[in-house]
Amino acid sequence: QSLNIISLIGMIALLGIVVGLKSARGYVEYGDGYIARQASATDLSAPAGLAVGYLTVAMNYEILNRYLHRVPAQKDHSRGQIASTMFSSALPGQQYSELTYQNELFGYNRDRTLTSTFVGPLYLDFGWAGVLIGAVLIGLLYRFLWVATYSSRSVFFVFTYAYFATRGVFLLYGNPI
């Protein structure tokens, strides 16, 4: 019962992220009048936005759902091994990754990872604390880049913000961190 409530809260939070990204993009494109324009809009933008949010939430979350039901009951959290792969991948030898974890947990023998959004590796590494802290840190990074880009307008920050904003679009579909 409580897991269903937590899952529902997680899905609502993910939908909030989608709406937040859409709003941030609109603000960047249209400036200060964007929010006022959205509030006075009489078109079908709200139902269309809900449809996009529903499809985003419904498409790639089966693996994440399996993680929630099986970890830590069947396999312990990896305590940072998956997150550290991005730093240790340049080293020789076999790396412990989300793919390795999936193959062990589900009994697969696959050579490609089934994506579980950016939340999956955070949950596998550190549980719900990792999801919450990781999401906040990602949000702070994006906020810092946005403020730095629009206050300094340097080429470096514009490029960096554009790069991370593009990757941020895919946070809900895969794991581009």
Side-chain angles (χ1 to χ4, degrees):
Q1 181 73 355
S2 64
L3 184 60
N4 289 337
I5 292 171
I6 291 171
S7 296
L8 178 64
I9 291 170
M11 291 301 185
I12 291 170
L14 290 172
L15 184 59
I17 291 170
V18 171
V19 172
L21 285 172
K22 182 185 180 302
S23 299
R25 183 192 69 207
Y27 184 80
V28 168
E29 288 179 0
Y30 302 109
D32 292 333
Y34 176 71
I35 295 173
R37 220 177 342 203
Q38 287 297 97
S40 65
T42 57
D43 60 19
L44 297 176
S45 61
L50 288 175
V52 169
Y54 170 76
L55 289 173
T56 301
V57 169
M59 284 178 8
N60 287 345
Y61 292 91
E62 180 57 30
I63 295 299
L64 183 59
N65 188 42
R66 288 183 187 180
Y67 287 167
L68 295 176
H69 288 289
R70 295 185 184 188
V71 177
Q74 292 180 359
K75 185 168 175 54
D76 288 334
H77 296 286
S78 68
R79 295 178 184 86
Q81 287 181 304
I82 295 170
S84 66
T85 301
M86 73 174 125
F87 303 111
S88 64
S89 60
L91 300 174
Q94 180 68 27
Q95 305 299 319
Y96 193 84
S97 65
E98 186 177 4
L99 173 62
T100 309
Y101 194 97
Q102 281 181 0
N103 285 338
E104 292 172 0
L105 179 64
F106 303 132
Y108 295 155
N109 189 20
R110 297 190 175 173
D111 58 353
R112 296 189 183 201
T113 304
L114 302 171
T115 58
S116 60
T117 76
F118 78 99
V119 177
L122 295 172
Y123 180 75
L124 292 179
D125 276 338
F126 307 109
W128 284 109
V131 171
L132 294 175
I133 293 169
V136 167
L137 290 175
I138 290 168
L140 289 173
L141 170 69
Y142 278 85
R143 174 67 180 163
F144 166 76
L145 289 173
W146 187 83
V147 169
T149 300
Y150 287 95
S151 64
S152 72
R153 301 211 186 264
S154 75
V155 173
F156 172 76
F157 280 118
V158 168
F159 175 78
T160 305
Y161 178 74
Y163 174 77
F164 277 94
T166 303
R167 291 184 66 98
V169 170
F170 299 103
L171 281 175
L172 295 174
Y173 299 103
N175 184 21
I177 296 175

